[in-house]
Amino acid sequence: IEMEVVDANQRVPEDFGYLSFNIGIVNTFQLSVFTEEDGQFSLASATAHILNGTDTVRSFDLKDKTNLLSFQGEADGTYSLVVIKNGYARFTREFNITDLNVELDNKPLKVYLEPALTMLAHVSNTPPAPYPDNFFQLEFTLPSGANITIDWGDSTSDSYNMDSYEFRGHSYPSEGDYFVSITGDLQAIDYLTFYDKGMISELNLEHLPELVRFAMWASGRSPKTLDFTYNSKIRSIVLAYGLNDVEKINLPISHEINDLWIDGPDSPMTTSAIDTLINNIYANAISKNIKDGRLYLRNYDPWAFNPDDPDPYRPLIGPPSEETLVKLRELRNAYGWVIDPNP
């Protein structure tokens, strides 16, 4: 390629419209991220960060291909590579760019992510009493002897040999959002819940195949979408006391759910979202003859309950369309489901 060039030896930067000519050394390396499914590894998208101590040098949105990463800094400096993907454990590696490039020999760095239960936890310096500042807690059940590791997202992690019923909590150094990942015997987790000290804005349940019960109680913050499509054994979902962030709930096509509890106040779930949810529940109840279930869809404020209010539960969340109300009444009359408020 022939290029036209200008001799700038006898010129100043201002002659070309610049304040100065600065030459910066750019460090580069290639990165490929892989996930595993059914024994097969596939290229995957993810987010990567180059850190210098606690400072973020540069962030990257990785594609499912070999990515070229570039950043400025000292070639002999020590940096950290952090790779994050929902549903997988955080990958962290310290490196020196000179040594790394010698190691790679012009080949990409390959990162294999481990399946995990992941969430974006939010902690505040004004938690509900009697919990300490910046405290986060979750609860789950595992059989005795199961092993898990929790990466709390603040450069600390804990490993546990579990008992059957467990609370696990962590105090963070400051308020904010932290990417939490749990690895180990995930296939054994059948119950997961978050209380008022368990505020999360993202949650990935993809790698919990045995999950049966899920609950969030008065946490004050929740994901906009809760996705249970990979949890085919789920039977009970409880979202109670002021979870006003949930706009959509995705259920498996086939399941045996007989307990679904959602209450407001001022739920953002639309008629379309609640219709899709109820139609899914109805189709499985009819095809599998699921009787005596419970379906609470109460758009009310439990903290402002007034026993003298003639209509304390307010309307159904959504509210459902007329066609869907017919299905609710069939569940009530023919299959013995408790529907609250009563349609």
Side-chain angles (χ1 to χ4, degrees), residues 146-160:
N147 294 284
I148 65 163
T149 297
I150 303 179
D151 180 342
W152 295 106
D154 61 350
S155 301
T156 64
S157 62
D158 295 306
S159 296
Y160 305 98

Side-chain angles (χ1 to χ4, degrees), residues 85 87-90 114-119 136-140 142 147-153 157-160 162 166-169 172 179-187 189 191-194 203-205 207-208:
K85 181 177 179 63
Y88 294 87
R90 173 201 308 269
E114 182 180 2
L117 163 63
T118 64
M119 63 206 71
F136 178 78
Q137 190 173 41
L138 69 161
E139 174 188 353
F140 45 85
L142 280 167
N147 294 284
I148 65 163
T149 297
I150 303 179
D151 180 342
W152 295 106
S157 62
D158 295 306
S159 296
Y160 305 98
M162 305 298 295
E166 293 290 332
F167 280 102
R168 291 299 170 191
Y172 285 91
F179 182 80
V180 178
S181 60
I182 302 175
T183 55
D185 295 323
L186 301 180
Q187 71 282 355
I189 295 178
Y191 174 73
L192 176 66
T193 191
F194 301 87
L203 178 66
N204 188 294
L205 303 169
H207 298 112
L208 302 186

Side-chain angles (χ1 to χ4, degrees), residues 44-169:
S45 60
T47 301
H49 306 276
I50 303 293
L51 305 181
N52 185 357
T54 59
D55 296 329
T56 300
V57 177
R58 190 171 179 187
S59 298
F60 307 86
D61 289 325
L62 305 178
K63 308 298 183 184
D64 52 352
K65 63 177 185 179
T66 298
N67 300 264
L68 179 65
L69 275 59
S70 64
F71 65 97
Q72 292 185 331
E74 298 295 331
D76 58 353
T78 299
Y79 301 91
S80 296
L81 169 67
V82 178
V83 179
I84 293 176
K85 181 177 179 63
N86 286 336
Y88 294 87
R90 173 201 308 269
F91 172 89
T92 303
R93 172 181 170 168
E94 288 193 352
F95 69 95
N96 170 291
I97 191 63
T98 302
D99 295 341
L100 179 63
N101 283 326
V102 171
E103 171 192 335
L104 296 178
D105 190 23
N106 294 320
K107 297 181 178 65
L109 174 64
K110 295 180 180 180
V111 170
Y112 297 88
L113 298 181
E114 182 180 2
L117 163 63
T118 64
M119 63 206 71
L120 189 63
H122 178 78
V123 293
S124 168
N125 58 13
T126 55
Y131 305 104
D133 287 354
N134 307 320
F135 186 74
F136 178 78
Q137 190 173 41
L138 69 161
E139 174 188 353
F140 45 85
T141 59
L142 280 167
S144 181
N147 294 284
I148 65 163
T149 297
I150 303 179
D151 180 342
W152 295 106
D154 61 350
S155 301
T156 64
S157 62
D158 295 306
S159 296
Y160 305 98
N161 183 271
M162 305 298 295
D163 294 327
S164 59
Y165 187 76
E166 293 290 332
F167 280 102
R168 291 299 170 191

Side-chain angles (χ1 to χ4, degrees), residues 6 33 52 134 137 155 167 184 197 218 223 227 241 257 261 271 278:
V6 176
V33 177
N52 185 357
N134 307 320
Q137 190 173 41
S155 301
F167 280 102
K197 62 278 190 185
D227 190 353
Y241 305 133
I257 293 174
W261 177 0
T271 294
I278 294 172

Side-chain angles (χ1 to χ4, degrees), residues 262 294-299 313 315-317 337-343:
I262 312 171
R294 179 179 70 165
L295 190 54
Y296 285 3
L297 304 171
R298 306 183 300 190
N299 198 1
Y313 296 123
L316 283 158
I317 286 175
W337 282 59
V338 175
I339 313 295
D340 190 355
N342 194 333

